[in-house]
Amino acid sequence: MPSESVDFYPSRAHVLTLALTTLALVVLCAVAARLGFDAAQTSGSPAALAAVSASAIGVLVFTGLGLLVVRRLLLPTWPVLTLDDEGLVDWLPNLGVEQVLWSEVTGVRETRLAFRRVLAIDVDDPKAVVVRQRTFVRRIAASVNIALVGTPVVLKPGSIDGRPDEVMSAVREFVAGRAPRPKPVA
């Protein structure tokens, strides 16, 4: 077991993709707001006013998210994955499962999720990991991971700045000091 923590930062390609996606959503919401505003001016329709309001809120929300993503791109000082003596902390925005203790881990395996190579980390009690997630989005993502891969803990090496083999090797090095335990029968 390594004696110090290992941090992985976000992939620049992943952050750039997020930035372009938020920019596209800002433009889409702005166009919808403009079209809704024109319709509201000519018809006075409550539906058009609601569309303008929703689109304007979308512009504000996606602009804020885009600025956060750009900050991540310019200042990559916050790791998205930390491995230490206690366990792993997956802070991939909104989709990571936060902290998982090594004592909960029953195995590590490579698999595919939506044509993408991922690292699945099997745990004793997947439902307990889902329940302790702080946000609704993280709970949904962890539940979907259970349905698709069989575990809530799925690391996506393509989103992490490092080769997939580096990420897998680092995780396996931390898990190696522990005797493998079989999954509990439900």
Side-chain angles (χ1 to χ4, degrees):
M1 169 109 26
S3 60
E4 56 186 59
S5 70
V6 177
D7 292 331
F8 288 97
Y9 293 90
S11 160
R12 293 187 70 75
H14 178 74
V15 175
L16 188 59
T17 301
L18 290 175
L20 292 175
T21 301
T22 57
L23 177 63
L25 290 170
V26 167
V27 170
L28 181 68
C29 288
V31 168
R34 176 62 191 195
L35 293 174
F37 183 74
D38 289 344
Q41 290 293 316
T42 57
S43 69
S45 163
L49 290 173
V52 169
S53 298
S55 298
I57 290 170
V59 167
L60 293 174
V61 167
F62 291 123
T63 299
L65 290 174
L67 290 173
L68 289 173
V69 168
V70 168
R71 180 196 164 277
R72 274 299 255 177
L73 186 61
L74 298 175
L75 302 169
T77 57
W78 175 43
V80 292
L81 177 64
T82 298
L83 309 172
D84 61 21
D85 290 338
E86 293 179 25
L88 67 89
V89 180
D90 181 6
W91 285 113
L92 194 62
N94 293 322
L95 301 176
V97 293
E98 299 174 2
Q99 186 171 22
V100 177
L101 301 176
W102 296 125
S103 60
E104 298 176 283
V105 175
T106 59
V108 179
R109 60 190 161 89
E110 196 174 326
T111 188
R112 290 216 171 275
L113 178 64
F115 307 108
R116 187 175 180 189
R117 183 176 156 189
V118 297
L119 185 61
I121 299 177
D122 296 315
V123 292
D124 283 334
D125 189 357
K127 290 182 181 171
V129 173
V130 171
V131 168
R132 73 172 180 247
Q133 300 310 302
R134 292 184 299 155
T135 67
F136 178 72
V137 174
R138 287 182 192 273
R139 286 190 294 274
I140 294 293
S143 297
V144 168
N145 286 340
I146 289 173
L148 296 175
V149 182
T151 181
V153 188
V154 176
L155 302 177
K156 297 161 186 76
S159 301
I160 298 170
D161 188 20
R163 293 186 330 269
D165 297 337
E166 285 178 320
V167 176
M168 180 174 284
S169 173
V171 171
R172 285 192 170 148
E173 190 174 335
F174 275 95
V175 174
R178 306 194 180 280
R181 295 183 328 266
K183 281 187 170 182
V185 178

